[in-house]
Amino acid sequence: MAITVPANGGSNSPELERLERRIAQLCRFIGRSPWVFHINSGSCNGCDIEIIAALTPRYDAERFGVKLVGSPRHADILLVTGPVTNQSLERVKLAYEQTPEPKMVIAVGACPTGGGVFYESPFTNAPLDRVIPVDVYVPGCPPRPEAILQGVVLALEKLVEKLKGGSEK
Amino acid sequence: MAMDVMGNIVYPTVGLLGLYAFVSLASLVWEGIDRKLVARMQRRIGPPILQPLYDFFKLASKETIIPSTANYMFKAAPVLALATAIALLAYTPMGFAPILASKGDVIVFIYLLTLISFFKIVGAISSGNPYAKIGAAREATVMVSREPAMMLAIFAIMWRIGKLGVPKPFSMGVFYVHNIWEIGTPMSFVGAVILLYVFTVWLASEIEVGFFNIPDAEEEIAEGLLVEYSGRYLALLKLTNAMKAFISASLVVAIFFPWGISGYFNLTGLSANVADLLFHTLKVFALLFVVQSVFRAVTGRLKITQAVDFLWKNVFLASLVGSLLIAMEVIM
């Protein structure tokens, strides 16, 4: 290849490699194709850009089979950003209900995890877990793409546990 | 009598089932190769080559949701579309004459190929989702714009090849008796090159990539036709789409690059068919690499009006000119 992009300045690249290996292992477990649907519930677009960054050539989540899909019907994992404004409240609930089982919900960013600067605002329903069940919280304003990848790792771990537990019963 | 049953029913059925198993696998593997190649072009590592198979099995094992607004055609359409694709395999030239080749089967081929899109449209409309309706309208618009150019060209080619003397005119098998390059006049060579362009664009619009990724636009109308499908039905539709890409590419390969390899190795019977099928698959992959992977990586989606304009004013016109050049010395 003519152009080589240095991965992350070399400082925390072992950490990144470890995460990548872990995702690859987990993806093998659940059919290797977690499809992601992104719900923007009134976010400022900071987290959304970081999610896109996790899919760009630098991090290339597609090599694990992760695909950003356009419809909650196709999704396995919901990435929710934003403080769940009153306008988007019903839509978030609807999108959650439209997602087929088994599904995972990841709250990305400070707003859906705890409210952030919108804490106790009358126009938002800030912590996302008051609206729909949340499996993984990724704090940060905005979180780094590595953090989002780690969130996906945790979600897949939880999903694997859930599936194993379900099969033993 | 017993021979007739063997020859007319058992062998074609076994052949069709074998072709179905092979083509569904090969077309899904091609999807994986395509995703890998596009990823490499974008300097990514890309998913593993068997990724579409993993996707297929994952979708098949997931919950299938039927929207409350859907009617019974929503459930029937994916099954019918896949059944149509399987039936189409019996009329597809795959390196050898189709299993059910007979006089005039080109009409059945075109009819079944269009029927797949028709069932997808019916299923999408039955879901009651507005995005699916936009996707269905776009699919129908592109369909009526792309097929006339292809039909005109294929009928002209078949008619001209029929003039060279073939046992079954207007059958998919004629490409393996005489091919388009054997007509021999300089005019017909130019015509054949123009028609190659027509069929390449038609193939791209048939499998909806690059310019023509209009009905299934993910970012724009939430995957259009597929928006309400989930689980098993989505898996069936994904498989149908992959098979349709393979079948459409097979047609183009059979018209323009029909040469087999079994003759060079003195193979006969079944082994000749298998060798030709594998070589044909390679040619299909090479064609799809240009028409699907490269085209998808270097172009973006057109607006629906631009696509219709392009298909009528450019491609249909080219088809008309090419057909006239091919047929010229017989007409005059």
Side-chain angles (χ1 to χ4, degrees), chain B residues 45-266:
Chain B
I45 295 169
I49 284 178
L50 294 181
Q51 185 64 46
L53 287 170
Y54 304 145
D55 291 353
F56 181 82
F57 289 123
K58 180 208 73 180
L59 286 173
S61 65
K62 277 202 76 155
E63 184 192 6
T64 307
I65 298 176
I66 311 294
S68 57
T69 47
N71 64 24
Y72 67 98
M73 272 315 281
F74 180 80
K75 286 190 264 183
V79 182
L80 288 173
L82 184 63
T84 313
I86 296 170
L88 188 53
L89 285 175
Y91 297 97
T92 312
M94 294 270 179
F96 41 82
I99 298 173
L100 297 183
S102 64
K103 216 183 210 172
D105 63 11
V106 60
I107 294 169
V108 183
F109 181 90
I110 294 172
Y111 171 75
L112 288 177
L113 196 59
T114 324
L115 201 61
I116 296 178
S117 303
F118 175 75
F119 280 134
K120 275 170 67 185
I121 291 172
V122 169
I125 291 174
S126 308
S127 72
N129 186 306
Y131 285 122
K133 280 177 186 165
I134 295 175
R138 290 181 176 192
E139 170 89 25
T141 316
V142 175
M143 192 169 80
V144 295
S145 308
R146 76 181 169 220
E147 302 297 350
M150 185 274 280
M151 285 199 244
L152 177 65
I154 197 169
F155 286 136
I157 292 169
M158 287 207 153
W159 177 74
R160 186 63 190 87
I161 291 177
K163 293 283 175 199
L164 297 175
V166 288
K168 291 175 184 167
F170 290 99
S171 154
M172 282 301 183
V174 300
F175 303 120
Y176 298 107
V177 183
H178 290 293
N179 63 52
I180 189 170
W181 310 105
E182 282 173 19
I183 300 171
T185 61
M187 278 301 186
S188 73
F189 182 79
V190 176
V193 172
I194 293 176
L195 289 185
L196 179 58
Y197 162 74
V198 171
F199 271 95
T200 322
V201 178
W202 167 78
L203 179 59
S205 64
E206 187 73 43
I207 57 188
E208 288 157 8
V209 289
F211 279 175
F212 303 102
N213 184 11
I214 303 168
D216 290 341
E218 287 94 344
E219 302 84 357
E220 213 178 292
I221 51 170
E223 312 211 5
L225 294 169
L226 302 177
V227 64
E228 283 291 338
Y229 281 105
S230 58
R232 237 173 300 136
Y233 295 126
L234 185 61
L236 288 186
L237 280 173
K238 292 265 175 198
L239 178 63
T240 310
N241 271 354
M243 281 173 68
K244 191 178 153 200
F246 192 93
I247 290 169
S248 319
S250 289
L251 175 69
V252 183
V253 165
I255 296 175
F256 293 97
F257 317 104
W259 306 286
I261 52 164
S262 56
Y264 298 106
F265 297 110
N266 295 320

Side-chain angles (χ1 to χ4, degrees), chain A residues 23-55:
Chain A
I23 293 184
Q25 281 171 2
L26 290 167
C27 288
R28 193 168 304 137
F29 227 93
I30 63 150
R32 312 188 200 197
S33 72
W35 287 3
V36 174
F37 181 68
H38 169 211
I39 304 173
N40 181 335
S41 64
S43 153
C44 67
N45 264 331
C47 302
D48 311 73
I49 290 170
E50 296 303 313
I51 288 172
I52 299 301
L55 298 169

Side-chain angles (χ1 to χ4, degrees), chain A residues 83-86 111 114-127 130:
Chain A
V84 196
T85 57
N86 286 346
C111 304
V117 293
F118 300 106
Y119 184 64
E120 289 190 337
S121 157
F123 310 109
T124 64
N125 306 278
R130 292 206 325 225

Side-chain angles (χ1 to χ4, degrees), chain B residues 35-46:
Chain B
R35 278 174 74 177
K36 188 89 180 169
L37 287 170
V38 172
R40 295 307 300 169
M41 288 176 212
Q42 295 170 343
R43 299 188 193 288
R44 290 186 288 127
I45 295 169

